[in-house]
Every structure is written in C-alpha cells, then in structure tokens.
Amino acid sequence: MASLTQNKSLSQQELAELIGVSRMTVHRALSNHPDVSTETRERIARLAREYGYRPNAAARAMKQQRTRHIGVLIRNEPDDRMTHLMTFETILGLNEGLEASGNILSIIRVGDVKQSLESGSRVFREQVLDGMVLLCELPDAIDQRVQQLVPHCVWVESQTWREDRCIRRDEVYAGRRCAQALIDLGYREIVWVGHPGKRHKPELMSRFEPNYVGGARERGVREAIAGRDNVALREFDLAYDSPETFAAMPGFLASLGP
C-alpha cells in the first residue's frame, strides 16, 4: 500500500475499494453530505488521511464547472502600497468564511490587475476565479473591467453601491458614536477633519453617494451635536496633496490646546 500512495494520488474509486464501500459513499462522506452518518463520515475521512488520499481540484473543477477560487481585489498600487492596511482584518474574516465553505482566497492588487489586463493573465483569460470581492474604493475602469471578466462580484466598503451584493458599515452610526463618546468624556469642542471634496451635503446624502464614508461619518457627528448649546463643532479641511494643508497644519495642531 505504501508504494501505491507514494507514487500517485488515489482516486475516489481506489479509495472506496480499499475501504470496502461504494465510490458514491466516499464522495458523499468527503463532501459532508447529510445522507452519510457522522460515524461513517469520520471513519472514511480518517482512512482517507491514512491512505494519503488527496482530492483532485482540477478534476472536481471540470465536473462542477467551479474552481472554488475567490479573489479579493485591494487598492495597493506601487506608489501607494500602505493605503489600505485597515482591510487586513476584513481579509482575515473573508478567508475564515471561505475556508469554512471549502473555497480558497487569493489577494489581488489593483496594480496587478492593470498589468494582467494588458498582458492577458491566466487569472482572467482562463477564468481561474469563481468570484471576486472588490474591497474599498477602486478606480472605476478597474471596477467595470473586473465585472466583465469575473462571473460573480461582491463589493465591500466600496464606492459602488447596489441593492444586492454590497456590504457597508453604518458610517452615520459610527460618526454618531465617536462624537457621543467625546461628549461623554467632557469635551466641549469637537474638531471635524475632512477632505474638502467629500464634505457632508444634506441634500445629496444617501447610501448611494460615491464618497459616502467621510460624508456619512460627518453627518453622524453633526447629529450627535445637534441641539447641544454647550458643544461646538470646528472644521479643518485636510486636502492630502495640498501644500496649503501642510502649511496650515502646525497652527491647527497648536489650536487644539490641552
């Protein structure tokens, strides 16, 4: 038996013959099918490990027309590598859920996608992925192109919003909780630091707004302060690439006081 398992991977039929059950029983047991008892499933799984059985992913993909391979697209370009480290926890959660359902996760960077689209990467040319999670704000051209190439897409904390296949935090709630925590600590002035191009506009505010994160959080802060005469809100515009911002920063920090 050792020579057999060392030289080649067993098929389910060969494993079934060694164990003394039908191939269908082996298949159902290894697929956690409910028609197979827990005792039988555990016995077959144990013997499969002992005999060195490994599922053939390529054969399974051909039969099921699925690769069970899911990509996670993150914005992490060569000139901006450290932008989205906060997505690490989200990626860990995605990986945990995908592993539990028998899928494999691959991280794909926006810069890689740009090169892949130009060079014809196997990931897209051969439809290696069953689906893609598009994480955070991405260039519109990339967003649209990935939708054309990958059969199933889900957007997480993205500028894209649809009634289905989209997941977002409640940013209004987050802003409200942050402001309330400061008020409860006794602070009587709250400073909102935001990008001037992404300010809260009540007449435009909705979950469909592309730049929803900053505007929604600011809305929550304003809701927490509304009606409180003893709490003031001060604003500071932080344009990330503006020389004026850097020039004004020392004075702004000094104005915060103790």
Side-chain angles (χ1 to χ4, degrees):
M1 187 57 57
S3 60
L4 174 64
T5 57
Q6 286 173 3
N7 293 331
K8 74 183 193 69
S9 178
L10 293 174
S11 67
Q12 285 193 0
Q13 181 62 47
E14 290 170 329
L15 179 62
E17 292 173 359
L18 290 170
I19 295 175
V21 298
S22 69
R23 190 202 67 80
M24 183 56 68
T25 299
V26 169
H27 171 72
R28 289 181 173 179
L30 297 179
S31 301
N32 292 320
H33 197 283
D35 288 348
V36 181
S37 69
T38 301
E39 181 181 355
T40 300
R41 193 160 55 239
E42 290 178 350
R43 172 175 168 267
I44 291 176
R46 174 176 55 80
L47 291 171
R49 288 193 299 271
E50 290 179 5
Y51 285 125
Y53 168 77
R54 291 181 300 163
N56 189 320
R60 183 172 57 190
M62 289 180 64
K63 183 177 180 180
Q64 299 179 351
Q65 296 295 301
R66 297 174 61 191
T67 64
R68 305 195 72 88
H69 205 126
I70 307 297
V72 176
L73 182 61
I74 61 172
R75 182 158 191 169
N76 197 0
E77 297 174 283
D79 59 344
D80 199 13
R81 291 184 180 278
M82 309 302 285
T83 298
H84 289 294
L85 291 179
M86 73 285 288
T87 63
F88 180 66
E89 187 173 355
T90 302
I91 292 171
L92 289 179
L94 288 169
N95 185 59
E96 183 177 340
L98 289 170
E99 279 191 341
S101 59
N103 293 283
I104 299 173
L105 177 145
S106 290
I107 295 176
I108 302 172
R109 301 176 301 173
V110 164
D112 296 336
V113 172
K114 289 180 178 178
Q115 296 174 8
S116 297
L117 296 180
E118 294 171 0
S119 62
S121 167
R122 286 187 57 204
V123 171
F124 299 105
R125 186 177 71 244
E126 300 181 13
Q127 196 168 309
V128 173
L129 302 176
D130 281 341
M132 180 85 84
V133 178
L134 291 85
L135 193 57
C136 295
E137 186 174 349
L138 300 166
D140 290 337
I142 296 293
D143 186 291
Q144 295 165 9
R145 186 60 176 146
V146 168
Q147 291 181 61
Q148 296 171 354
L149 296 172
V150 181
H152 304 288
C153 293
V154 175
W155 288 265
V156 178
E157 304 301 339
S158 167
Q159 79 273 27
T160 297
W161 179 257
R162 305 179 180 196
E163 289 293 345
D164 62 341
R165 293 182 290 128
C166 288
I167 302 171
R168 283 184 177 177
R169 292 182 298 268
D170 187 339
E171 299 292 353
V172 175
Y173 176 78
R176 190 162 56 239
R177 284 294 304 271
C178 287
Q180 187 60 54
L182 292 171
I183 293 171
D184 292 343
L185 287 170
Y187 291 99
R188 293 297 170 256
E189 181 182 62
I190 294 177
V191 182
W192 173 260
V193 180
H195 194 285
K198 302 182 180 182
R199 300 309 305 273
H200 166 61
K201 303 178 179 64
E203 70 278 9
L204 299 177
M205 189 60 222
S206 77
R207 58 182 173 172
F208 297 100
E209 184 180 355
N211 297 319
Y212 80 99
V213 176
R217 288 179 187 167
E218 184 180 353
R219 173 183 169 183
V221 170
R222 291 182 179 277
E223 287 181 359
I225 295 175
R228 297 176 182 270
D229 296 332
N230 62 338
V231 180
L233 177 66
R234 182 155 59 96
E235 301 171 1
F236 179 74
D237 285 338
L238 177 63
Y240 311 123
D241 55 353
S242 168
E244 291 79 7
T245 294
F246 294 108
M249 186 64 75
F252 165 67
L253 294 176
S255 74
L256 295 179

